[in-house]
Amino acid sequence: MSDEMTSTLDFPAVSAVPAVEAAAEATISRVDLIVDALRHPNNHRQAFRFLCVGGSGYVVNNIAFALLLHVLGIEHTVAFWIASLFGTANNFWWNRNWTFDAKHHHIGKQGVRFLLVSLLVAGLAYCIYLGLVASTGLDKVPANALAYVIATPFSFVAQKLWSFKA
């Protein structure tokens, strides 16, 4: 081909490299944010407090579940959800007032967000609970307890970043 012809067929070079580089930079910046967050002492304190509050809610939930199940004779799936509400109420009060020190923000907005996150986490815990009961034959009270242990990390991240925006 002549030089004239090739010049009319030339297309501007399109490279995926800038897009790949931008995606890599965005990933690195997200990783940097996570690493920085893990290094921040305030986040350590909040995580510790969240675990303490979660521990108290865990106790409230499991006692309520056992009482509803064994004393009141309520069916286990209904008892699971009622006990979850007891634990959620306990955790909301303590997390709002102590963990995230967010009592100066609107309680209604926080409450709705906290409840939505808690319901999602309870839904995850419920699926885990049903799986444990069905597949392992684990007794219902220990299965409830284990399901919430597994679901707790999801709760911390969502409550911190959305419910209390601390």
Side-chain angles (χ1 to χ4, degrees):
M1 285 190 184
S2 72
D3 284 336
E4 271 179 38
M5 188 123 177
T6 56
S7 65
T8 61
L9 296 176
D10 285 341
F11 294 101
V14 177
S15 172
V17 174
V20 171
E21 288 174 359
E25 286 176 19
T27 302
I28 291 169
S29 67
R30 287 185 195 118
V31 170
D32 289 341
L33 287 172
I34 292 168
V35 170
D36 286 345
L38 291 173
R39 290 183 183 159
H40 197 280
N42 188 47
N43 289 336
H44 297 178
R45 187 180 78 248
Q46 285 181 344
F48 175 75
R49 288 180 175 187
F50 188 84
L51 289 174
C52 290
V53 168
S56 71
Y58 179 76
V59 170
V60 167
N61 177 300
N62 283 295
I63 289 172
F65 182 73
L67 290 172
L68 291 164
L69 188 67
H70 296 302
V71 175
L72 297 178
I74 294 176
E75 198 268 330
H76 74 103
T77 56
V78 175
F80 179 94
W81 289 101
I82 294 170
S84 294
L85 291 174
F86 280 102
T88 296
N90 173 83
N91 290 357
F92 176 71
W93 192 90
W94 283 106
N95 279 319
R96 182 173 195 274
N97 292 291
W98 186 56
T99 304
F100 300 113
D101 190 27
K103 55 188 168 280
H104 53 280
H105 295 292
H106 192 273
I107 191 171
K109 188 175 184 179
Q110 287 174 340
V112 168
R113 288 179 172 191
F114 191 89
L115 180 61
L116 289 174
V117 169
S118 295
L119 287 173
L120 288 173
V121 170
L124 173 62
Y126 182 68
C127 292
I128 295 166
Y129 164 77
L130 291 177
L132 289 170
V133 170
S135 67
T136 67
L138 193 61
D139 188 57
K140 292 175 177 80
V141 174
N144 177 69
L146 184 56
Y148 272 97
V149 167
I150 295 168
T152 294
F154 302 103
S155 182
F156 175 72
V157 172
Q159 299 297 12
K160 176 178 176 53
L161 297 178
W162 191 53
S163 299
F164 296 108
K165 289 188 180 185

